[in-house]
Amino acid sequence: ETVNISASGANSYSWDNGIGAGATHSITATTTTTYTVTGTDANNCSNTDQVIINVNALPSIDAGTDQDICTGDQTTITATGGNTYNWDNGLGAGAAHNVSPSATTTYEVTGTDLNGCENTDQITVTVNTIPTINAGVDQEVCEGESVTLTATASGGTITWDNGVTDGVSFNATATTTYTATADDNGCTATD
């Protein structure tokens, strides 16, 4: 941050630390530093004074790791590393918020420490769509006959229960309901 330092009480001024002449200077401080000014009056008499600029480290704000959710789901995002927090996207103040975005969204949090220093961090909540799946029409076979179940899905991987493999024939021994599941990035649908 930039801070102004200003000397008074003399006719001319000279600062150390490479600042040079002049009563007022704008300093961009990176470390805590003591600045000494020498003031000279009309009689060519001089005296010195000092000002210390204390530089506080920026807080290390952490919005957490990016998250994946399914459409319609909710998740909690939590910031750490500061004393107070303010989020964008209409969330406002507070360390933690429950969010349920309808599309992939990046949230930015500004954290402030006890010294009033601020820093920011971001977290992206990726919204994955829930797949659709169709297990096909009900089938009738005679006992012991082979049957093949093949499901179609809008995305992801397809698995069946009861030991069935998609597209692989097996012998049916009793009337059974088989459930196919589509899993796309952790979002699932069944039929």
Side-chain angles (χ1 to χ4, degrees):
E1 290 183 343
T2 299
V3 63
N4 290 324
I5 56 175
S6 184
S8 60
N11 285 31
S12 63
Y13 307 91
S14 179
W15 295 83
D16 66 354
N17 287 310
I19 297 175
T24 302
H25 292 275
S26 182
I27 305 295
T28 302
T30 56
T31 60
T32 296
T33 305
T34 300
Y35 296 91
T36 301
V37 61
T38 301
T40 304
D41 65 12
N43 299 315
N44 210 28
C45 296
S46 61
N47 207 348
T48 62
D49 195 19
Q50 295 177 330
V51 61
I52 299 172
I53 298 177
N54 289 307
V55 178
N56 298 307
L58 295 177
S60 180
I61 304 302
D62 185 5
T65 56
D66 293 343
Q67 299 186 35
D68 284 49
I69 63 171
C70 302
T71 301
D73 286 351
Q74 176 178 282
T75 189
T76 301
I77 55 176
T78 304
T80 58
N83 187 51
T84 60
Y85 307 92
N86 192 44
W87 294 82
D88 67 356
N89 284 305
L91 297 181
H97 290 277
N98 294 323
V99 295
S100 182
S102 58
T104 298
T105 304
T106 298
Y107 298 91
E108 183 172 276
V109 61
T110 300
T112 306
D113 66 12
L114 292 173
N115 295 315
C117 296
E118 296 180 348
N119 209 348
T120 62
D121 195 27
Q122 295 178 334
I123 181 173
T124 299
V125 178
T126 300
V127 180
N128 296 307
T129 57
I130 298 173
T132 58
I133 186 167
N134 185 343
V137 297
D138 293 342
Q139 299 187 35
E140 288 188 28
V141 296
C142 297
E143 185 177 356
E145 284 185 344
S146 65
V147 63
T148 301
L149 300 180
T150 303
T152 57
S154 61
T157 57
I158 297 172
T159 57
W160 289 86
D161 64 357
N162 291 314
V164 172
T165 301
D166 194 66
V168 177
S169 66
F170 64 96
N171 291 331
T173 56
T175 298
T176 307
T177 299
Y178 297 91
T179 301
T181 301
D183 186 327
D184 192 3
N185 293 311
C187 301
T188 60
T190 61
D191 191 29

